[in-house]
């Protein structure tokens, strides 16, 4: 006999709802769904919102819209407070009716060839392995202008160098099988054709690719080695951050082993070798920060911008102390196992010397 179910949705937080199926004789299922931002949208400021800036209020209310995007919406006069365009710095009093009229008008993103030097450590007809410098984005991303979003990326440099890359990743990410953060240096493999891309991507999905990183973190880790298995999701307040404390995140596994403990006039540090089974956004950085040991230089996850000495001037590192030092995978055509490694770049070696590492 057929069973008919009634579905009810109840809010769990600002943008998370539970959905329940009940046929009158018991609950058939319980799940959760995420409410995606749609426009136009009208919001009403509550008494508790008094004193908040308009851009911050909207960032908290719009789950899928970053503060930068909110500020662009306001600049394009797509946000009205009581039917009048307002500035991002406008302070709410409570009770205002706020209308968000539409989405940000973004010029189309596209990858473009640029003559940028690259450190190619291996190349054949199917792939290339690049030692990426810190400070270079892998592919185009969000920014205030078309030039800022599209210039100076690894993809642009690869297009100039090779002319043709795989199309599997789309127009913005040709050849890109995996990524490294902008402030992370080290090894990355790129695909020149679609067949190689699919086979390499399958290895990553099956966790067959071995990736090893070197990281310097603040403090001394309690254990010489350990594994962090915490799901990672986007921080609901600071949208540029990831977190292990949210709900509905993606599983992530990070292994670390202590290489050296350092006691210096700038404080205590631990040099770690890190291996990851998964490749989530900011995975190593957010996992290590969750232990109370942020990566040196990583102000986004709690590291100080400057290290103050006990008896002299301070020092700073204008990047994260995180380097993709080794990469091992199976060649997509020959099935031969390929292994590559690169030492720490000079700026990280010099920093280690400054803090007195052996």
């Amino acid at each position: 006999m057929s069973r008919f179910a009634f579905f009810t949705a109840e809010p769990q937080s600002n943008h998370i709802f539970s959905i329940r199926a009940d046929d009158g004789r018991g609950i058939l299922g319980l799940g959760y769904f995420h409410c995606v931002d749609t426009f136009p949208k009208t919001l009403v400021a509550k008494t508790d919102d008094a004193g908040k800036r308009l851009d911050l209020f909207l960032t908290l209310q719009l789950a899928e819209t970053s503060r930068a995007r909110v500020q662009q919406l306001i600049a394009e006069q797509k946000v009205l407070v009581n039917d009048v365009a307002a500035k991002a710095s406008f302070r709410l009093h409570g009770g205002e009716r706020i209308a968000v009229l539409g989405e940000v008008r973004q010029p189309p993103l596209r990858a473009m060839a640029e003559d940028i030097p690259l450190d190619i450590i291996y190349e054949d007809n199917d792939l290339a392995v690049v030692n990426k410098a810190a400070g270079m984005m892998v592919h185009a991303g969000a920014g205030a202008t078309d030039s800022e979003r599209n210039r100076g990326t690894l993809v642009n440099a690869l297009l100039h160098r090779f002319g043709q890359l795989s199309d599997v990743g789309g127009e913005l990410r040709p050849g890109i099988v995996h990524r490294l953060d902008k402030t992370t240096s080290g090894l990355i493999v790129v695909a020149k054709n679609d067949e190689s891309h699919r086979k390499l991507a399958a290895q990553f999905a099956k966790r067959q690719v071995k990736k090893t990183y070197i990281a310097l973190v603040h403090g001394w880790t309690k254990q010489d080695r350990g594994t962090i298995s915490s799901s990672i999701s986007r921080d609901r307040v600071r949208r540029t951050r990831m977190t292990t404390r949210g709900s509905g995140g993606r599983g992530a596994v990070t292994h670390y082993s202590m290489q050296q403990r350092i006691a210096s006039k700038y404080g205590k540090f631990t040099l770690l070798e890190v291996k990851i089974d998964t490749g989530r956004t900011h995975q190593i950085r957010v996992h290590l920060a969750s232990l109370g040991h942020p990566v040196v230089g990583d102000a986004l996850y709690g590291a100080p911008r400057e290290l103050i000495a006990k008896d002299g001037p301070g020092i700073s590192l204008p990047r994260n102390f995180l380097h993709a030092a080794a990469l091992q995978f199976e060649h997509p055509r020959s099935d031969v196992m390929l292994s590559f490694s690169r030492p720490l770049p000079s700026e990280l070696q010099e920093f280690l010397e400054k803090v007195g590492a052996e």
Side-chain angles (χ1 to χ4, degrees), residues 71-79 103-106:
Q71 290 172 341
Q72 286 180 271
L73 282 168
I74 295 171
E76 293 176 5
Q77 296 191 342
K78 291 184 177 179
V79 176
E103 298 180 352
V104 173
R105 289 193 305 267
Q106 292 283 8

Side-chain angles (χ1 to χ4, degrees), residues 38-42 58 62 73 76-81 83 85 97-104:
T38 56
F39 303 101
K41 181 189 293 286
T42 300
L58 289 174
L62 303 178
L73 282 168
E76 293 176 5
Q77 296 191 342
K78 291 184 177 179
V79 176
L80 303 180
V81 179
D83 298 323
R97 182 169 51 85
I98 301 161
V100 185
L101 305 180
E103 298 180 352
V104 173

Side-chain angles (χ1 to χ4, degrees), residues 331-351:
H331 193 283
R333 185 180 301 273
S334 68
D335 296 333
V336 172
M337 189 64 68
L338 301 177
S339 297
F340 306 95
S341 63
R342 277 296 180 270
L344 291 174
S346 59
E347 69 271 16
L348 298 188
Q349 290 280 14
E350 292 169 2
F351 188 85

Side-chain angles (χ1 to χ4, degrees), residues 20-154:
R20 181 176 66 177
D22 193 327
D23 68 347
R25 289 179 287 174
I27 297 175
L28 298 175
L30 178 65
Y32 297 87
F33 69 92
H34 189 270
C35 181
V36 178
D37 293 332
T38 56
F39 303 101
K41 181 189 293 286
T42 300
L43 305 166
V44 177
K46 299 178 182 179
T47 304
D48 292 345
D49 296 316
K52 288 181 182 176
R53 285 172 53 111
L54 176 62
D55 56 350
L56 176 59
F57 168 80
L58 289 174
T59 301
L60 295 174
Q61 294 297 316
L62 303 178
E64 298 298 320
T65 307
S66 67
R67 190 168 183 174
R69 288 285 181 271
V70 164
Q71 290 172 341
Q72 286 180 271
L73 282 168
I74 295 171
E76 293 176 5
Q77 296 191 342
K78 291 184 177 179
V79 176
L80 303 180
V81 179
N82 294 335
D83 298 323
V84 178
K87 294 182 178 181
S89 59
F90 175 80
R91 298 284 178 175
L92 297 173
H93 300 284
E96 293 94 340
R97 182 169 51 85
I98 301 161
V100 185
L101 305 180
E103 298 180 352
V104 173
R105 289 193 305 267
Q106 292 283 8
L109 285 170
R110 59 186 176 86
M112 58 185 75
E114 285 187 87
D115 186 3
I116 303 172
L118 285 174
D119 182 11
I120 306 290
I121 67 171
Y122 176 83
E123 175 189 357
D124 61 26
N125 292 330
D126 298 298
L127 59 88
V129 177
V130 182
N131 186 24
K132 185 188 83 70
M136 173 182 277
M137 290 192 302
V138 170
H139 56 75
T145 67
D146 182 67
S147 176
E148 287 178 355
R149 293 187 299 142
N150 289 322
R151 299 286 183 181
T153 70
L154 176 64

Side-chain angles (χ1 to χ4, degrees), residues 13 45 61 68 80 83 128 160 181 197 220 250 256-257 267 303 344:
S13 61
Q61 294 297 316
L80 303 180
D83 298 323
H160 181 270
D181 293 341
H197 192 133
W220 284 359
R250 302 179 68 188
Y256 66 89
S257 60
L344 291 174

